[in-house]
């Protein structure tokens, strides 16, 4: 009983202090808040532009390292803006903070639980580095390059140039596949579908030659050819690394185009599609 009485009295005091704080909210303070938010937004846009521009000016091997400063700088601007706004409306006194957190926290927690979950996941993601700006990742079935790291989510540019925003809290329930983990290089796997009777040694020789002579290939990293026998034919996979992960699709096209030319020159055949007879047509013809 005493404990319940104390809790009820504390809630009453918190409510009264909240009313006092709300009574001090003026049009001038609201105007200041809008100005602070506008300045914070402008600062974030300016930081994005400066960091991206700088990353394109420095040496290639430093490009991703420069871009990886973006989340920390954004977080600094947002944290500063939040502190200024709290001081503007709450004066950051112990009593005011207790009053607001005591009465508003529950309501905000229920209303914005998914948003808060994403923010917390984003903060954890900065330190765990599951994905960073410039990484090529697959999250929730979406693949592309990380081009933005916001407070709530990460922005991915897909191979078709779509911009997909994925909330950070996806990392609680989904796996994150990262192809390069902050490095310039990311392995590219190119598949070739050939007939059963091809000369395996010749095909492997051609694929190794194609990889070694491509202008995109990072020759200091492994080049591997693997083969798998399937019911329809032979599947060859060429695994190698471009000098820059940005060139992933140009690299794959270059490898495929030159390999097809050499296959044609050596008369290496592709799997033949089996023609399945039309049962209905056959029955009609038989009648």
């Amino acid at each position: 009983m005493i404990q319940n009485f104390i809790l009820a009295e504390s809630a009453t005091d918190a409510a009264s202090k909240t009313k006092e704080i709300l009574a001090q909210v003026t049009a001038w303070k609201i105007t200041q808040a809008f100005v602070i938010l506008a300045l914070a937004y402008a600062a974030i846009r300016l930081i994005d532009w400066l960091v991206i521009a700088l990353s394109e000016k420095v040496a290639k091997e430093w490009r991703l390292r420069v871009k990886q400063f973006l989340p920390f700088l954004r977080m600094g601007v947002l944290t500063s803006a939040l502190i200024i706004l709290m001081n503007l409306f709450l004066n950051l006194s112990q009593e005011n903070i207790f009053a607001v957190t005591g009465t508003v926290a529950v309501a905000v927690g229920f209303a914005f639980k998914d948003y808060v979950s994403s923010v917390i996941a984003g903060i954890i993601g900065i330190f765990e580095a599951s994905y960073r700006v410039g990484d090529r990742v697959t999250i929730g079935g979406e693949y592309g390059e990380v081009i933005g790291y916001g407070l709530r989510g990460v922005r991915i540019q897909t191979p078709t140039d779509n911009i997909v925003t994925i909330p950070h809290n996806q990392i609680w329930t989904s796996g994150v596949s990262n192809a390069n983990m902050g490095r310039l290089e990311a392995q590219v796997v190119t598949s070739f579908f050939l007939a059963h009777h091809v000369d395996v040694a010749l095909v492997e020789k051609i694929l190794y030659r194609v990889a070694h002579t491509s202008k995109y290939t990072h020759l200091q990293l492994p080049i591997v050819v693997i083969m798998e026998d399937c019911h329809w034919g032979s599947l060859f996979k060429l695994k190698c690394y471009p000098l820059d992960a940005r060139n992933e699709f140009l690299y794959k096209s270059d490898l495929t185009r030159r390999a097809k030319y050499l296959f044609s020159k050596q008369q290496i055949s592709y799997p033949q599609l089996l023609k399945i007879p039309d049962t209905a047509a056959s029955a009609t013809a038989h009648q």
Side-chain angles (χ1 to χ4, degrees), residues 86-282:
M86 289 181 66
N87 191 44
L88 178 65
F89 289 102
L90 308 178
N91 296 322
L92 290 183
S93 67
Q94 184 176 357
E95 293 182 354
N96 287 342
I97 292 176
F98 175 77
V100 171
T101 54
T103 56
V104 179
V106 176
V108 170
F110 279 107
F112 297 98
K113 60 180 180 179
D114 291 334
Y115 186 90
V116 173
S117 176
S118 294
V119 171
I120 294 173
I123 295 172
I124 293 174
I126 289 177
F127 296 99
E128 287 190 350
S130 302
Y131 42 78
R132 292 162 287 191
V133 177
D135 285 355
R136 306 188 76 83
V137 300
T138 302
I139 308 174
E142 297 288 349
Y143 172 74
E145 179 183 354
V146 177
I147 61 171
Y149 195 110
L151 188 64
R152 186 191 69 87
V154 60
R155 283 184 296 156
I156 293 177
Q157 185 173 19
T158 68
T160 55
D161 279 342
N162 290 331
I163 306 299
V164 181
T165 301
I166 301 175
H168 291 302
N169 62 3
Q170 285 281 333
I171 65 175
W172 302 138
T173 56
S174 302
V176 178
S177 176
N178 195 320
N180 57 324
M181 287 298 293
R183 298 187 299 271
L184 282 175
E185 309 86 11
Q187 187 182 82
V188 171
V189 180
T190 309
S191 298
F192 299 91
F193 307 94
L194 303 174
H196 275 300
H197 59 270
V198 297
D199 185 339
V200 174
L202 178 59
V203 172
E204 289 182 344
K205 182 179 179 180
I206 289 173
L207 293 180
Y208 277 115
R209 181 189 302 173
V210 165
H212 278 103
T213 56
S214 174
K215 64 180 180 180
Y216 299 104
T217 302
H218 196 310
L219 295 175
Q220 295 180 353
L221 294 175
I223 298 173
V224 179
V225 176
I226 62 174
M227 177 211 173
E228 181 181 349
D229 204 23
C230 304
H231 69 277
W232 46 260
S234 300
L235 171 62
F236 291 84
K237 292 184 179 180
L238 175 58
K239 297 184 175 184
C240 41
Y241 294 80
L243 290 165
D244 192 330
R246 277 182 171 180
N247 298 325
E248 173 186 358
F249 299 102
L250 287 174
Y251 185 40
K252 184 176 287 191
S253 296
D254 179 64
L255 295 175
T256 303
R257 176 179 55 80
R258 294 191 300 113
K260 285 175 70 69
Y261 171 76
L262 293 176
F263 290 158
S264 175
K265 194 173 181 180
Q266 295 294 332
Q267 296 183 344
I268 294 174
S269 56
Y270 296 93
Q272 298 296 319
L273 294 177
L274 296 176
K275 292 185 177 180
I276 301 175
D278 190 338
T279 306
S282 301

